[in-house]
Amino acid sequence: MPVDHKERAFETAIDNYLLANAGYAQGDAKAFDQERAIFPEEFIAFIRETQPEIWQALEKLHGASTDTVILDDLTKALDGHAGALGVIRHGFKCFGKLIRAAYFAPAHAMNPDSQRLYEANRLIVTRQVRYSTKHSNSIDVVLSLNGIPVATAELKNHLSGQNAEHAKHQYKADRDPRERIFEFKRRALVHFAVDPDVVWMTTQLSGNKTVFLPFNKGNGTG
């Protein structure tokens, strides 16, 4: 269909930019765990690469169930008081072990191990993510850090007769804030309504009461 084609073209342009210029890798929408609202394979791969000693210690205790044990504790931490931001900043406990969910840029380059861990973060852009166990609706774009969704985006193209206002309406009317990926503080931390000219953002979906703020960088002329 022409409309779908035009909107996919805009989606592809953003996708390609992130892949070529922002350090992102391409994600697989089928890898999204709708129940946990994370990309489990990405998170487990990150742990095994950056924290092998902790992985091995937990594996001695849990064997083939190690993945499930870690992912269950990650999910509990994300759903708890700390939320996604707290887990990303401070990690979470799993059978007495502190698991880091992300590594931040070191203040200087004198510690190569810190730089290596920072560079091991997995920034993933995933298109058309079916996010619910209740229906087949999908989000145009999900940005994730080490398997944890941090941002969603709905994209609209003028060539299809739609713009960012339609994306805002979609978030307000068609995106249930009780869905895990949209739950305030627990998964994605920001949601973007985007067209080729403007970007709007919100941190909390609240149906028709959702408040969007401008997120434009500007062109330097105003």
Side-chain angles (χ1 to χ4, degrees):
M1 295 177 61
V3 169
D4 287 343
H5 173 74
K6 293 169 185 174
E7 291 186 350
R8 281 201 300 269
F10 182 37
E11 187 177 303
T12 299
I14 291 178
D15 191 60
N16 289 343
Y17 179 86
L18 292 174
L19 295 175
N21 301 283
Y24 280 79
Q26 187 70 66
D28 179 4
K30 294 180 181 179
F32 186 71
D33 183 330
Q34 297 167 338
E35 185 66 35
R36 292 189 175 101
I38 58 174
F39 295 91
E41 293 176 8
E42 291 293 341
F43 187 77
I44 293 299
F46 168 75
I47 297 304
R48 298 189 70 163
E49 179 182 357
T50 61
Q51 299 155 83
E53 298 86 358
I54 290 177
W55 172 267
Q56 291 165 11
L58 291 172
E59 191 174 35
K60 287 180 180 179
L61 291 173
H62 304 290
S65 301
T66 305
D67 287 19
T68 300
V69 169
I70 291 175
L71 294 171
D72 284 349
D73 280 354
L74 168 63
T75 302
K76 290 176 184 176
L78 292 170
D79 290 341
H81 178 72
L85 188 58
V87 169
I88 290 170
R89 284 177 171 172
H90 306 297
F92 65 99
K93 288 290 187 72
C94 180
F95 280 81
K97 304 291 185 182
L98 177 62
I99 293 180
R100 296 291 182 186
Y103 288 95
F104 294 88
H108 50 72
M110 296 178 65
N111 188 333
D113 286 339
S114 295
Q115 185 65 29
R116 176 186 63 80
L117 291 170
Y118 169 66
E119 292 174 355
N121 285 318
R122 294 167 174 257
L123 298 173
I124 307 294
V125 52
T126 310
R127 297 165 59 178
Q128 295 301 321
V129 176
R130 293 187 177 183
Y131 58 87
S132 179
T133 60
K134 304 170 187 175
H135 51 70
S136 60
N137 292 351
S138 61
I139 308 169
D140 287 343
V141 174
V142 174
L143 305 181
S144 60
L145 171 63
N146 302 325
I148 301 173
V150 294
T152 74
E154 295 292 352
L155 312 180
K156 302 299 176 185
N157 195 334
H158 297 315
L159 295 176
S160 69
Q162 294 188 315
N163 56 33
E165 292 302 314
H166 294 89
K168 289 159 68 173
H169 176 77
Q170 190 171 19
Y171 273 120
K172 292 179 179 181
D174 299 332
R175 299 293 180 250
D176 186 346
R178 294 170 296 182
E179 290 281 0
R180 219 164 194 173
I181 193 170
F182 298 127
E183 282 189 302
F184 183 50
K185 296 184 179 180
R186 291 181 172 177
R187 291 300 186 278
L189 300 171
V190 62
H191 311 281
F192 294 105
V194 186
D195 70 30
D197 294 329
V198 298
V199 180
W200 293 82
M201 58 82 69
T202 184
T203 57
Q204 183 174 8
L205 297 186
S206 304
N208 289 329
K209 296 180 180 179
T210 302
V211 176
F212 282 88
L213 300 174
F215 193 75
N216 297 337
K217 292 177 67 176
N219 57 14
T221 60

